Amino acid sequence: DTAVSQTPKYLVTQMGNDKSIKCEQNLGHDTMYWYKQDSKKFLKIMFSYNNKELIINETVPNRFSPKSPDKAHLNLHINSLELGDSAVYFCASSQDTEYEQYFGPGTRLTVT
Amino acid sequence: GQSLEQPSEVTAVEGAIVQINCTYQTSGFYGLSWYQQHDGGAPTFLSYNGLDGLEETGRFSSFLSRSDSYGYLLLQELQMKDSASYFCAVRDHGQAGTALIFGKGTTLSVSS
């Protein structure tokens, strides 16, 4: 059984487009996250959601918007894509504690 | 704010022991986590130290000294499959933070 899944795995799109990445977890966890990993493997938190409430919103452009229809899903919508948005985006989840997180397989976004 | 320092690269041979150090600076400390990430894969949780001392899980051990703001991951009996990036992480101290702040990662290369 897949614990944290993301779709799509690869996403190639042009500048200015709008795209979404979906994430689902079947672990029953209360908190979900989105991370961005750049080409230097630097992993940076973008958002976290607990019980459908946004807890953290880092210095992320408002072109990025997380949407959580229920506790098991946290989707990431990106407007007006830019070249610098090219990265691998990871969804993760945790229960009760933040130090042990379960990551999805990642979505490699390439903006041309 | 938070910052974590770890070596960028470490090389070793099969069967050897390697130690990956991590020093941190945080405004509030809730423990140190370690994650492993293989190329093209997702970060996976390895260990957590909330208190000083050594935590052992099979071939991997993790150590924490809160007074020194220092921890390390010790990998014993190295195998080729241990070639990966290793990240230390601390809890974000945001407004209501439960996300993790990751170090920049240490790339471990194990050769035969």
Side-chain angles (χ1 to χ4, degrees), chain A residues 9 31 33 35 37 40-45 48 55-56 58 90 94 98-106 108, chain B residues 30 33 35 37 39-45 48 85 87 91-92 95-104 107:
Chain A
K9 187 168 177 63
T31 307
Y33 313 83
Y35 289 88
Q37 187 169 46
K40 295 184 178 180
K41 296 188 178 180
F42 184 43
L43 200 60
K44 182 177 179 181
I45 181 68
S48 65
I55 299 177
I56 296 175
E58 289 291 319
F90 287 100
S94 69
E98 75 291 339
Y99 62 78
E100 183 175 356
Q101 296 183 14
Y102 292 79
F103 283 75
R108 182 173 293 277
Chain B
Y30 300 89
S33 299
Y35 284 76
Q37 184 181 26
D39 276 348
T44 57
F45 173 77
Y48 168 75
S85 294
F87 297 86
R91 178 180 174 177
D92 180 39
Q95 296 175 352
T98 64
L100 289 176
I101 302 299
F102 285 83
K104 294 186 177 181
T107 300

Side-chain angles (χ1 to χ4, degrees), chain B residues 8-20 59 73-84 86 106-112:
Chain B
S8 58
E9 293 182 2
V10 174
T11 58
V13 296
E14 277 188 301
I17 299 173
V18 72
Q19 179 173 311
I20 299 174
R59 294 187 297 112
L73 181 69
L74 188 73
L75 299 86
Q76 303 182 73
E77 302 174 15
L78 281 172
Q79 302 174 10
M80 298 288 284
K81 68 178 182 179
D82 297 329
S83 294
Y86 293 85
T106 298
T107 300
L108 171 63
S109 299
V110 181
S111 58
S112 56

Side-chain angles (χ1 to χ4, degrees), chain A residues 44-63:
Chain A
K44 182 177 179 181
I45 181 68
M46 298 178 71
F47 303 103
S48 65
Y49 254 73
N50 179 271
N51 288 324
K52 297 176 65 175
E53 294 187 28
L54 180 67
I55 299 177
I56 296 175
N57 185 345
E58 289 291 319
T59 55
V60 172
N62 58 15
R63 298 181 295 104

